[in-house]
Amino acid sequence: MSLIVNTITKSFTNFAALHEVSFEARPREFIALLGPSGSGKTTLLRLLAGLDTPDSGSITFEGEDFLRLNARDRRIGMVFQSYALFRHMTVADNIAFGLNVRAAKERPSKAEIKAKVESLLDLVQLQDFGKRYPSQLSGGQRQRVALARALAISPRLLLLDEPFGALDALVRKDLRRWLRRIHDETGVTTVFVTHDQEEALDLADRVVVLKDGEIEQIGEPLELYRQPKTAFVFDFLGHANQAQGMLSGGSAQFDGFSVPAVSSAADGQITARFRPFESHVSKTGPGFPGKVLSILPAGSNLRLEVGLSDGIVYETQHAHDSEAATLRIGDDVVVLPTKVYAFG
Amino acid sequence: MTASSPPARAPVPTGFKPPRTNLHTTRVLPGFKSSLSLTITYLSLIVLIPLAALVARPWEHGLQGFLFVLTDSRVIASLKLTFGVAAAAAILNLFVGLVVAWVLTRYSFPGRRLLDALVDLPFALPTAVAGIALCTLYAPSGWIGALLAPLGIKIAYTPLGILVALVFVGLPFVVRSVQPVLAEFDAEVEEAAQTLGASPLQTAVRVIFPSLAPALLSGFSLALARAVGEYGSVIFIAGNMPYVSEITPLLIVIKLQEFDYAGAASVALIMLGLSFLVLIGLNAVQLWLSRQGGRS
């Protein structure tokens, strides 16, 4: 293990930000800290960076006690949500900063620094931007400069705080793929914070899901998706439709029909959850009766909203060539889940 | 390290600037014409017309009269003193003002608000009162003057006294220019410097102070302008010896008292011209700084 975080607790004035959080990262691993705002993910990242100190617990990196080192000496690369570029310096000077501030005997020569800056500008695809100032760059370009600046000190650990938070959807997706490639090329262990589940699942080797300062689940993206341990993880990773039912012997009983259930709950009354794409709609048959409220395209699928008589709205997704394509707004339909989840 | 393929985007040509948006053709707020005409009328009445009169006045005795004043060694000595001491005071205030602003924004300690309020006192106090108070303190018999006298240092009634008075009146300008910029300085930028391995001193010198440069410069300009024009506090502490500690504004008053109106206007015009040049120079530096740094 390269990074070991052990039972970290951190409270701010009358509010606990993190409670006994533990996780580990393997060398070269890409870890995402995922959670809604206020879940403590940024606090955790700041503790890793040494910008804050925990109340108790330990952080070790490659066998070294990180808590005994301050931010300056940890040699970690940190990319901030606001980019935090030095406004009065050119892009090249920004990138060279971490090398220029080293003590004279550790500092590389001017030529070495120049070569390093050139190669990093190359890496982040900003070859011709070295002489520009941050104010002359777009958001995505600034983000890449911030990353190059962090990589310049050859960090042992790369930390990214909502790196794509302020960018528009298209640029985000581009940068995401590109960040993953840079990680694979440089091989630096990376921890990144996000509240966007799609981003976390898309990028990370493993995802740490946080809620109210505690870890809900740690796992690979597919594992989280297929075997969520808690209702929170299930709800956070995608849209969830809910229905009340009775659980008995691996299946959930509803009004006149039953559905296979993946469950950690005991038999009895349950709140069942199902994904939009794990359901059928049809005009007749078993299921929850309702009216079609909207039909919209959602990429490779059709997305339907079906309103039930008690006011609940279910979201369902179907292939463009399925029976759903023949439906119109206002039609009476039934929604039949093919698989439901229940949590104890 | 090899390059990975770039995120797709159109290259921005060098030197490209987005179109200026400050002169809207369609405006959200009405009243551009009326507010502009008010501005021009007001500035004319308060600034332009009096200054125009000043430009018109010195020529009573022709160009020769003006040149006579311009080459008068007493006038030249007073100009050197006024601008020299004002510049020295502004430079001193630049450093002290930065420290005061730093202390007031970066640390919290009992009495901080009181100290913060004290900074504004030189704005509010009648400058003559300040001059008399400083003079009493720094005179050879005063509290501070008495301590310095045995060391052979004389402050009151020397150019050094003028410096003390000008530092006093100029300090709030630097503090108040720098303080808001320092208070709004992005904490993440400092943290970034820290994680990149910069020491606290390196962070201050390489990251924080350079981004304060525009604010420091504008504080410096204001303090300098104020010091050049200062009269009330200086005349009490300066001793006002011709060629040694006589400032130009005093010389103008002396000429007025001698009913030499054209001479007074000539000196005033020279002073105005010099001040104008200095301010243009400072503005050019300001422009250069803002071009360099830019605002994100």
Side-chain angles (χ1 to χ4, degrees):
Chain A
M1 284 300 152
S2 80
L3 175 69
I4 302 172
V5 174
N6 192 15
T7 57
I8 285 287
T9 295
K10 170 79 184 172
S11 327
F12 295 108
T13 331
N14 63 44
F15 124 85
L18 290 171
H19 183 69
E20 302 201 339
V21 166
S22 305
F23 73 94
E24 296 175 348
R26 293 184 272 271
R28 303 179 68 95
E29 199 171 22
F30 202 126
I31 296 265
L33 302 178
L34 175 66
S37 35
S39 59
K41 53 193 191 309
T42 296
T43 307
L44 184 52
L45 198 74
R46 290 175 60 84
L47 294 179
L48 293 179
L51 298 171
D52 256 323
T53 46
D55 302 335
S56 65
S58 69
I59 301 174
T60 53
F61 185 79
E62 288 168 353
E64 196 177 358
D65 183 2
F66 242 23
L67 293 180
R68 299 181 60 142
L69 298 175
N70 60 28
R72 248 187 99 191
D73 301 321
R74 287 192 190 185
R75 207 156 65 83
I76 41 112
M78 175 106 180
V79 175
F80 293 84
Q81 192 172 6
S82 66
Y83 317 134
L85 294 177
F86 307 131
R87 257 191 350 216
H88 60 282
M89 290 184 203
T90 61
V91 166
D93 288 342
N94 263 283
I95 296 174
F97 183 84
L99 300 172
N100 281 329
V101 295
R102 287 197 187 160
K105 57 181 190 298
E106 293 167 37
R107 195 187 310 142
S109 72
K110 278 224 160 77
E112 282 170 322
I113 292 179
K114 195 162 180 281
K116 177 93 186 177
V117 169
E118 293 289 324
S119 81
L120 282 164
L121 283 172
D122 239 29
L123 182 76
V124 299
Q125 301 296 324
L126 290 171
Q127 292 90 336
D128 303 326
F129 290 75
K131 290 201 170 66
R132 301 261 192 112
Y133 286 92
S135 58
Q136 297 166 305
L137 303 181
S138 71
Q141 289 168 337
R142 283 181 208 175
Q143 185 59 275
R144 286 185 276 157
V145 174
L147 183 64
R149 185 179 66 176
L151 288 172
I153 58 170
S154 312
R156 305 192 287 174
L157 181 64
L158 186 62
L159 305 174
L160 304 131
D161 185 9
E162 303 253 358
F164 311 127
L167 304 172
D168 58 71
L170 263 175
V171 179
R172 283 170 91 122
K173 202 153 189 181
D174 263 352
L175 278 177
R176 218 190 275 166
R177 298 250 157 267
W178 171 85
L179 175 65
R180 178 71 217 198
R181 226 168 300 151
I182 290 212
H183 167 265
D184 295 346
E185 279 166 20
T186 56
V188 59
T189 309
T190 303
V191 178
F192 101 107
V193 155
T194 182
H195 62 260
D196 181 343
Q197 41 88 18
E198 195 191 324
E199 201 165 275
L201 298 180
D202 194 19
L203 259 175
D205 296 321
R206 285 192 305 146
V207 180
V208 178
V209 184
L210 285 158
K211 180 201 173 196
D212 298 334
E214 293 187 67
I215 292 182
E216 286 278 307
Q217 189 172 357
I218 304 176
E220 290 169 14
L222 269 180
E223 182 187 339
L224 282 182
Y225 212 78
R226 290 185 181 152
Q227 293 140 30
K229 279 192 187 148
T230 65
F232 175 80
V233 174
F234 187 88
D235 291 348
F236 199 68
L237 292 189
H239 188 86
N241 298 310
Q242 294 186 10
Q244 299 299 321
M246 292 293 288
L247 184 72
S248 72
S251 70
Q253 312 286 331
F254 299 101
D255 212 6
F257 61 99
S258 70
V259 177
V262 177
S263 171
S264 60
D267 283 3
Q269 180 78 29
I270 52 158
T271 300
R273 291 172 154 80
F274 64 97
R275 293 285 185 211
F277 48 82
E278 289 177 335
S279 64
H280 287 306
V281 286
S282 48
K283 291 207 165 166
T284 54
F288 303 106
K291 250 186 198 349
V292 176
L293 298 179
S294 74
I295 306 173
L296 292 165
S300 57
N301 283 330
L302 271 183
R303 199 187 64 156
L304 268 65
E305 282 182 323
V306 178
L308 272 53
S309 56
D310 53 4
I312 295 174
V313 176
Y314 282 164
E315 186 184 313
T316 65
Q317 288 198 9
H318 314 278
H320 283 285
D321 56 1
S322 65
E323 193 193 340
T326 64
L327 296 173
R328 289 174 184 284
I329 291 172
D331 283 356
D332 289 312
V333 293
V334 287
V335 178
L336 177 66
T338 53
K339 186 181 180 186
V340 298
Y341 295 79
F343 302 95
Chain B
M1 275 186 274
T2 53
S4 39
S5 75
R9 61 172 38 78
V12 181
T14 340
F16 170 81
K17 287 213 179 94
R20 282 175 166 267
T21 49
N22 51 358
L23 280 175
H24 297 285
T25 43
T26 55
R27 293 177 208 96
V28 177
L29 293 176
F32 170 66
K33 276 182 192 158
S34 46
S35 56
L36 181 68
S37 43
L38 177 73
T39 306
I40 289 174
T41 314
Y42 191 83
L43 278 180
S44 303
L45 284 175
I46 302 290
V47 180
L48 273 179
I49 296 177
L51 288 189
L54 187 60
V55 175
R57 197 71 179 73
W59 315 107
E60 229 162 71
H61 307 297
L63 186 63
Q64 215 159 14
F66 181 74
L67 286 177
F68 177 74
V69 175
L70 183 63
T71 51
D72 180 358
S73 59
R74 188 173 166 189
V75 172
I76 291 173
S78 82
L79 283 171
K80 274 187 190 160
L81 179 76
T82 303
F83 281 90
V85 180
I91 289 170
L92 202 61
N93 272 331
L94 198 61
F95 292 100
V96 181
L98 176 61
V99 173
V100 172
W102 182 270
V103 168
L104 288 179
T105 47
R106 286 311 172 103
Y107 308 110
S108 84
F109 50 89
R112 188 172 65 98
R113 295 205 164 266
L114 185 70
L115 208 64
D116 197 36
L118 275 180
V119 170
D120 282 333
L121 267 191
F123 276 147
L125 207 63
T127 52
V129 176
I132 293 167
L134 288 171
C135 184
T136 317
L137 269 181
Y138 286 96
S141 55
W143 289 351
I144 299 175
L147 293 176
L148 294 173
L151 305 171
I153 302 171
K154 257 189 86 184
I155 291 183
Y157 316 124
T158 68
L160 214 53
I162 305 178
L163 184 74
V164 171
L166 295 185
V167 165
F168 175 82
V169 297
L171 181 69
F173 291 97
V174 178
V175 177
R176 292 297 180 233
S177 307
V178 174
Q179 212 177 355
V181 184
L182 203 52
E184 276 174 30
F185 193 81
D186 186 1
E188 285 195 342
V189 172
E190 261 172 77
E191 289 172 351
Q194 207 185 337
T195 60
L196 289 167
S199 66
L201 184 68
Q202 282 172 321
T203 307
V205 172
R206 285 170 180 253
V207 174
I208 300 174
F209 294 162
S211 41
L212 292 180
L216 278 170
L217 189 69
S218 81
F220 175 82
S221 307
L222 287 170
L224 180 69
R226 179 76 172 81
V228 166
E230 178 57 17
Y231 174 75
S233 63
V234 175
I235 52 163
F236 289 100
I237 200 172
N240 306 325
M241 303 233 313
Y243 298 99
V244 179
S245 58
E246 184 181 57
I247 55 168
T248 315
L250 179 65
L251 200 60
I252 296 172
V253 173
I254 290 171
K255 287 199 185 292
L256 286 176
Q257 279 167 348
E258 291 165 353
F259 304 104
D260 179 8
Y261 295 125
S266 301
V267 179
L269 186 61
I270 295 163
M271 225 183 140
L272 184 71
L274 283 174
S275 302
F276 196 59
L277 284 179
V278 170
L279 289 180
I280 283 182
L282 286 172
N283 265 328
V285 178
Q286 186 84 276
L287 193 70
W288 176 75
L289 273 179
S290 65
R291 282 248 175 90
Q292 251 213 336
R295 304 224 155 223
S296 50

